[in-house]
Amino acid sequence: MTSSGVPANAANTPPHECAAWAKLAAHADASREESIAQLFADDPRRGAQFVARAPGLALDYSRQRIGALGLRLLEQLAAERGFAEWRRALFAGERINTTENRAARHTALRAGDAAPAEVKRTLARMRELAAQLAGVRRIVHLGTGGSDLGPRLVCDALAEQARIEVRFAANLDPLDLARALAGAEPASTLVVVASKTFTTQETLANARAAKAWLGGRGRVIAITANESAARAFGAAEVLPMWDWVGGRYSLWSAVGFSALAALGADTFDALLAGASDMDRHFQDAPLEKNVPVLLALLGVWNVNFLGAATHCVLAYAHALRLLPAYLQQLEMESNGKGVDREGRAVAYATAPVLWGGEGTVSQHSFHQLLHQGTQVVPADFIVAGVSPELDANAEAQARALAFGTDDPALPAHRRHRGNRPSSTLRLEKLDARNLGCLLAAYEHKAFTQGVIWNINSFDQWGVELGKRLADGILKTRS
Ligand code: F6P
């Protein structure tokens, strides 16, 4: 590893100075008039070929505005950016999070028998604790950001399997906690306080209020990398986190305890196994058939060469309604950066604004803009075979975006220009294993884009100033 945290053998040419970048820019220029419809007309096998498969899911990217040449140039860019070496360094646990001098070893959390001893010990303790929850009727999970969004998504997605109700409170607004406690009894409530730092204002405020509400009854379990602070707070049990796990990559750690306790250890094991399947696919599949790599490179193409400023995730399953919020932190906190690994201001766009919603509900809200607005918004459709009607609607939306309708007989306000790119991620079915696989795919997408954009995807210094200013303002007002 070099002093700037670049793996020894990784090339380190800034992306916009890579030969492939110039070729991609020229290719984007030359193919500006080429439409998705034309790409299909020119290659009748496109629909079958522009598909990549991983365990439990398939990525259909045939409705992206790109052909074989563009894809080859993107793969060349990944090679010029030393992608394979960076991927090796990630899985080897090298300190690629240079500004915090840490590794990013979230994959070790789901490595099964190959997991570090402390990970296995913690999983065993999580299972033990979950087996000792007789009489607990509600779990109240307190945390924010990565200490909330993952377990909240998993508990909501698989709620029908829950044997204990879980409610989440993340906001500083006391109403959030009040609603999480409403109707519960202290004696039959387990409060889970998840905070890697155990310094987060929102979580500590909610934890103090919840502890007061318990009045010495009930139980408090803390999940943190700051054991002494949690002990001082009075947590009966502390499950460890480690500095080599980023908050937004921590679902697989003890941060997922509430999901394990509510859904069962087997379900949590399946979630880990699905993510581990994706880790193997990410490490082994050739770039042109590698789902996370393709998601990443198509994102770079849309942002850096087609000029898209946002990216929309449309989850065509009610159970995945919280997926866009989860991905917002994952991708925007990872790659919402303007300075590269060498401390230079980047001369190219990095992460787009990620947003989204739940299909078909979103069709009756913002799809008007997706179809006829002036902003071209690349989209991911997530389908899970929930129902033929739901899948048909997702397919229809993707077709309308790609091919539009330019019938001159229609008045202008009814025409769709089309040529709006999208990918469809199809889960074989929505279960814990495939959910794990899907989330790991997006983690590796974010990592791969960070490599292409030469930025550190594992720190988040930009969140600190606002916290300091809020503390200062509070002091002046108290
Ligand atoms: O403020 C952002 C952040 O640090 C996220 O990166 C993190 O997931 C969240 O706050 C919560 O932090 P903690 O788990 O330390 O309470």
Side-chain angles (χ1 to χ4, degrees):
M1 188 71 109
T2 65
S3 58
S4 67
V6 176
N9 309 329
N12 198 32
T13 313
H16 62 306
E17 293 171 14
C18 290
W21 190 277
K23 291 179 190 161
L24 282 159
H27 178 58
D29 257 2
S31 59
R32 200 158 294 289
E33 298 314 312
E34 191 174 44
S35 70
I36 299 170
Q38 192 57 49
L39 289 166
F40 269 91
D42 295 348
D43 177 3
R45 294 160 309 146
R46 180 181 173 88
Q49 281 190 334
F50 281 54
V51 174
R53 296 180 198 290
L57 61 80
L59 168 68
D60 174 350
Y61 57 100
S62 61
R63 289 174 289 217
Q64 288 289 342
R65 269 190 63 199
I66 195 163
L69 171 57
L71 288 164
R72 271 201 310 282
L73 290 173
L74 287 167
E75 288 157 25
Q76 187 188 329
L77 177 62
E80 283 186 63
R81 286 290 312 137
F83 167 72
E85 183 50 21
W86 278 101
R87 180 177 54 187
R88 184 205 58 71
L90 172 77
F91 282 91
E94 291 182 19
R95 293 173 182 270
I96 58 174
N97 174 1
T98 42
T99 61
E100 296 181 299
N101 191 24
R102 294 172 178 170
R105 299 183 62 200
H106 42 283
T107 57
L109 298 167
R110 61 240 189 176
D113 295 343
E118 66 263 39
V119 169
K120 289 181 189 169
R121 254 197 320 278
T122 304
L123 265 173
R125 184 65 188 140
M126 288 162 68
R127 293 189 186 106
E128 273 170 21
L129 286 170
Q132 298 163 2
L133 296 181
V136 170
R137 299 180 55 202
R138 186 177 297 169
I139 296 172
V140 173
H141 180 107
L142 308 179
T144 193
S147 295
D148 166 79
L149 292 161
R152 188 190 286 256
L153 165 63
V154 171
C155 288
D156 186 65
L158 305 170
E160 283 60 37
Q161 298 171 32
R163 48 209 189 149
I164 305 176
E165 184 191 13
V166 187
R167 294 201 188 175
F168 293 81
N171 201 330
L172 199 52
D173 179 339
L175 178 62
D176 198 4
L177 179 63
R179 288 182 175 175
L181 296 173
E185 296 295 329
S188 59
T189 299
L190 168 65
V191 172
V192 171
V193 183
S195 177
K196 179 178 172 185
T197 57
F198 222 79
T199 61
T200 302
Q201 181 191 19
E202 295 88 338
T203 306
L204 295 186
N206 285 331
R208 282 189 291 270
K211 195 176 165 195
W213 176 84
L214 286 173
R217 288 157 295 163
R219 290 169 68 184
V220 177
I221 292 178
I223 296 158
T224 186
N226 185 351
E227 184 174 353
S228 57
R231 297 271 178 219
F233 171 78
E237 177 84 24
V238 180
L239 290 168
M241 282 180 74
W242 304 279
D243 72 2
W244 43 262
V245 178
R248 53 190 176 273
Y249 297 86
S250 66
L251 162 61
W252 329 97
S253 74
V255 164
F257 173 72
S258 297
L260 185 154
L263 304 171
D266 295 349
T267 299
F268 195 72
D269 288 347
L271 188 79
L272 297 178
S276 179
D277 289 344
M278 181 50 74
D279 293 341
R280 270 190 302 283
H281 170 82
F282 180 55
Q283 287 175 290
D284 303 340
L287 299 195
E288 69 276 11
K289 285 296 172 194
N290 194 309
V291 169
V293 170
L294 286 163
L295 287 171
L297 296 180
L298 291 166
V300 167
W301 172 247
N302 285 321
V303 167
N304 297 104
F305 299 98
L306 298 187
T310 82
H311 188 89
C312 190
V313 173
L314 301 163
Y316 273 70
H318 183 67
L320 292 178
R321 62 191 170 157
L322 300 183
L323 180 66
Y326 176 84
L327 294 178
Q328 281 184 324
Q329 186 199 17
L330 178 62
E331 297 201 26
M332 290 204 273
E333 202 175 71
S334 292
N335 293 332
K337 314 276 166 70
V339 165
D340 70 12
R341 280 183 167 278
E342 285 69 38
R344 297 170 297 217
V346 294
Y348 42 88
T350 56
V353 172
L354 189 148
W355 58 294
E358 171 195 352
T360 61
V361 178
S362 53
Q363 290 176 199
H364 309 279
S365 156
F366 54 75
H367 281 219
Q368 167 60 41
L369 178 144
L370 297 181
H371 289 292
Q372 293 186 318
T374 53
Q375 304 267 348
V376 172
V377 180
D380 290 354
F381 287 86
I382 317 290
V383 298
V386 170
S387 76
E389 295 79 10
L390 211 53
D391 287 6
N393 270 278
E395 178 61 21
Q397 293 292 317
R399 284 188 196 169
L401 288 171
F403 307 119
T405 168
D406 225 2
D407 175 356
L410 284 172
H413 61 270
R414 296 199 54 194
R415 289 193 210 140
H416 290 231
R417 275 188 290 173
N419 214 21
R420 294 176 180 218
S422 72
S423 293
T424 297
L425 270 161
R426 211 176 298 283
L427 301 186
E428 279 161 16
K429 63 179 177 344
L430 182 49
D431 62 14
R433 193 171 187 126
N434 293 340
L435 180 58
C437 192
L438 177 71
L439 301 182
Y442 275 103
E443 287 181 344
H444 294 318
K445 171 199 175 184
F447 165 75
T448 304
Q449 288 188 327
V451 168
I452 300 291
W453 288 322
N454 189 26
I455 54 180
N456 178 356
S457 300
F458 298 105
D459 62 10
Q460 58 285 320
W461 295 103
V463 301
E464 299 308 325
L465 176 59
K467 295 178 186 177
R468 280 202 308 279
L469 291 175
D471 289 347
I473 292 164
L474 273 172
K475 287 202 182 82
T476 58
R477 290 185 181 169
S478 56

